[in-house]
Structures are given as C-alpha cells and as structure tokens.
Amino acid sequence: MLTGPDFLVTFLYYFSCTSLIIILVSWQGMGLSLTTPFPYQLGSLVGLIAGLLGAYYNRSLSTSIPFTHKKTFLQTLNKTLSEMGYQQQGQLEDCIVYQKSQRPFSGKLLVKIEDKSATIIGRSGILNILGQNYKNSTTQEK
C-alpha cells in the first residue's frame, strides 16, 4: 500500500527549508554576520516552530472506515469529497486518486476499497476535515 511522508520526514523538510531561508534572510536582508551565532539560533528557532506546525498539518496519515454497503459508502464518500472540492483523477495501483482540480498543491487523497472497509491516505489536516464532513453527511442521511 502506498504511503506518504510521516511525521519525521515532514518535520525535517519544513525545519531545514525554513532554517535555511531565515539564515539567508538575516544574513543578506538584515546584514547580520554569519560569524555570530544569532542567525543560526534564529533560524533554528523559527525552523523548529515551522517544522512542528508543518509536520502536524501536512504529514501523511491513513484512516480506515468500515462500511456495510459498498455502493452506499461510495456514494456518500463521493458526495462528501465533491463538497470539499475533490474530484476523482484516476487509479494508482489499487487506489482511487482524488485531487482538487483548481489547486494542484492541495494534496491527493488515495482511497483503497476492500471488502468491508476503505483505507484513505492523505494529509492529516485534510483527513480531519473529511472525517468531520463524512460524519455530518452520514448523520443527515439517517
């Protein structure tokens, strides 16, 4: 099964990019010398904050949703995802790929349908919103 970057990889990405940008901006933009520790300390502090926030919201997670009727589940899932702006983009291995058509950097959702459950992989922030919207959709149908 496909997976995306976990917490550590996402943290390192955001930490290193932000730290480097802050060090360069403090050196070139603010005129601070690289021989003093301040640009590195500032870069590390801001990088730590950006790394934690980026890893919390953008790490890849997977969730499993049990269902009893496959057709009903797919209708509800497609309705929920379309309300969020996602459209089916095709297949990747044994997963259905959903993505926002107007926002290419919004992240993809991968849905693998099994016998009595579906596994959804995507960014943690998107999965949280999807979970809330899906629960609202299923309670409104009852």
Side-chain angles (χ1 to χ4, degrees):
M1 178 92 185
L2 297 170
T3 61
D6 61 355
F7 187 89
L8 181 62
V9 173
T10 308
F11 171 80
L12 290 174
Y13 171 77
Y14 280 95
F15 174 79
S16 59
C17 290
T18 304
S19 296
L20 183 61
I21 290 169
I22 295 298
I23 291 169
L24 291 175
V25 166
S26 64
W27 172 47
Q28 291 290 322
M30 297 169 52
L32 297 174
S33 173
L34 291 180
T35 59
T36 63
F38 182 71
Y40 303 106
Q41 292 171 341
L42 181 63
S44 295
L45 178 65
V46 175
L48 178 66
I49 294 167
L52 289 172
L53 288 173
Y56 180 75
Y57 288 107
N58 292 322
R59 74 186 183 276
S60 181
L61 290 178
S62 66
T63 184
S64 184
I65 300 174
F67 58 82
T68 53
H69 302 293
K70 184 177 180 178
K71 186 176 179 180
T72 307
F73 169 77
L74 283 173
Q75 288 174 345
T76 306
L77 181 68
N78 284 329
K79 178 182 174 234
T80 304
L81 288 175
S82 67
E83 288 173 357
M84 293 175 60
Y86 282 86
Q87 297 174 347
Q88 186 173 341
Q89 298 293 323
Q91 292 275 128
L92 183 65
E93 291 185 10
D94 54 349
C95 298
I96 304 169
V97 179
Y98 290 90
Q99 185 175 11
K100 288 187 178 183
S101 59
Q102 301 297 324
R103 298 180 59 196
F105 297 111
S106 63
K108 293 180 170 113
L109 288 173
L110 303 174
V111 180
K112 180 179 180 181
I113 306 293
E114 295 167 344
D115 290 334
K116 295 290 179 184
S117 69
T119 303
I120 303 173
I121 301 171
R123 290 182 179 173
S124 63
I126 295 170
L127 287 181
N128 288 336
I129 295 169
L130 175 63
Q132 293 169 356
N133 291 348
Y134 184 78
K135 286 178 187 174
N136 291 341
S137 292
T138 55
T139 56
Q140 289 175 359
E141 290 177 3
K142 290 181 181 178

